[in-house]
Amino acid sequence: MIGYVTLGTNDLERGAAFYDKVCGALGTGRMMEWPGAIAWGTAGGGAGIGLTQPFDKQAATVGNGVMVALECASPAQVREVYDIALANGGTDEGPPGPRGDGFYAAYFRDPDGNKLNAFVMGPGAAE
């Protein structure tokens, strides 16, 4: 249903370095690049993520209540993505751990303050 999500940035180079690492840990890389924007994903795969400088040339701001969830294959991958995010300019919003029956997640913000979550869902996910 969702093809991709776009997040704003005020520093494309810094944001690109963050998403290169986080998306790399999820097994995907840059799919498209054009002036002022980069997209990560896999053609024909799940939803991708784009990072862009706002078209209206105004400052990028964070949407209150907006969050992008990155699906992982295991609790170990959730922890890996979270650790990579924090090591590359992200900030903690909730460490990896069970968040209910069959749901394991970690929450963090990218260098521009956009909120993300790495999660796995299903039997054995709440490790």
Side-chain angles (χ1 to χ4, degrees):
M1 180 178 1
I2 295 173
Y4 63 91
V5 174
T6 302
L7 299 172
T9 185
N10 293 305
D11 186 337
L12 187 61
E13 186 176 324
R14 178 188 68 182
F18 176 87
Y19 283 99
D20 282 342
K21 298 288 187 182
V22 168
C23 291
L26 293 167
T28 194
R30 293 184 187 194
M31 185 169 73
M32 296 171 46
E33 294 185 52
W34 57 100
I38 301 170
W40 291 261
T42 304
I49 191 164
L51 192 63
T52 186
Q53 297 166 322
F55 183 76
D56 66 5
K57 308 293 186 215
Q58 300 298 310
T61 58
V62 177
N64 189 25
V66 175
M67 181 181 71
V68 176
L70 306 171
E71 188 172 12
C72 294
S74 66
Q77 190 177 38
V78 169
R79 291 187 295 273
E80 176 189 14
V81 169
Y82 172 84
D83 290 343
I84 287 170
L86 271 53
N88 286 278
T91 56
D92 173 56
E93 284 287 318
R99 301 289 198 268
D101 191 29
F103 188 72
Y104 187 91
Y107 298 85
F108 51 92
R109 291 189 184 268
D110 73 7
D112 284 290
N114 296 298
K115 189 171 182 180
L116 297 108
N117 140 305
F119 78 97
V120 64
M121 193 180 306
E127 174 181 291

